[in-house]
Amino acid sequence: MSRLILGTATFITLGGMAPEIVQAFPVILADELDRNHVESARMGLEALNNENYSLAFSLFNTSLLVNPDYAEAYAGRASARARLGDRYGAISDLEQAAGLFQKQGYFTEAISSYDAAISLDPDYVIAYAGRASARARLGDRSGTISDLEQAARLFQERGNTAAYNQVQEALQQIR
């Protein structure tokens, strides 16, 4: 593992420490931070379970500052945001989590994230398209078709002819 050295500005952002303290400790090794991002996310889950949603949100943020590709932290932060009343922030985090899960080959987890986004906004067309993609990767032909049909319907309702036609082409290839 390569070691990345983070400078004083990042240390201040992550640690919230006074500049005079930072001067005493000018750098942190990234592999130490890497271990800490998992612990921050674990503590975030614990805070969620204890219904301390503000703390959970902060802990997931800390985890994501260190590792912005940590899908589990996005999913956890989405839960905290939803419980804090930030529906759009939760949907955004769920979309981010789902995309990362898919990129990392965790299609079932991606589908769960898209499911959660759809439960927050049943007309969220991006979630249907993304879930169709994840279902296709798992070989779920009927689920893929169902999601693409829903995406097509939503695009048509919104007058997005180009996207509607693109989805219809995908459906023709699958059928």
Side-chain angles (χ1 to χ4, degrees):
M1 172 187 260
S2 65
R3 298 182 107 175
L4 171 69
I5 297 181
L6 301 177
T8 303
T10 303
F11 190 82
I12 292 170
T13 302
L14 293 176
M17 303 183 94
E20 58 274 7
I21 296 172
V22 173
Q23 294 304 318
F25 304 99
V27 295
I28 302 173
L29 297 177
D31 49 338
E32 178 63 29
L33 287 172
D34 191 49
R35 285 189 290 278
N36 290 337
H37 88 272
V38 174
E39 181 63 14
S40 291
R42 187 199 62 72
M43 290 170 40
L45 287 173
E46 189 175 303
L48 272 177
N49 290 334
N50 291 325
E51 299 180 7
N52 190 341
Y53 307 123
S54 294
L55 176 60
F57 178 81
S58 294
L59 288 164
F60 290 121
N61 272 343
T62 299
S63 180
L64 290 167
L65 282 170
V66 178
N67 185 353
D69 292 331
Y70 196 41
E72 291 86 349
Y74 280 106
R77 189 171 75 176
S79 292
R81 281 182 156 174
R83 287 173 177 88
L84 290 168
D86 181 6
R87 189 178 123 212
Y88 294 108
I91 290 169
S92 176
D93 278 350
L94 287 165
E95 184 179 343
Q96 186 70 28
L100 287 167
F101 280 132
Q102 258 187 293
K103 183 179 174 184
Q104 296 164 2
Y106 298 109
F107 303 111
T108 302
E109 290 82 353
I111 290 168
S112 293
S113 294
Y114 287 126
D115 288 345
I118 291 167
S119 74
L120 291 172
D121 183 357
D123 292 331
Y124 190 48
V125 69
I126 301 299
Y128 288 103
R131 189 171 71 180
S133 174
R135 285 180 166 175
R137 298 293 300 265
L138 289 175
D140 178 3
R141 186 174 179 274
S142 65
T144 301
I145 290 171
S146 175
D147 281 343
L148 288 176
E149 287 173 342
Q150 182 66 8
R153 184 185 67 74
L154 290 169
F155 281 131
Q156 187 176 37
E157 285 177 4
R158 295 176 184 164
N160 189 338
T161 306
Y164 171 80
N165 290 336
Q166 196 172 23
V167 172
Q168 288 298 327
E169 287 176 26
L171 279 165
Q172 287 176 2
Q173 291 175 2
I174 294 171
R175 290 182 177 147

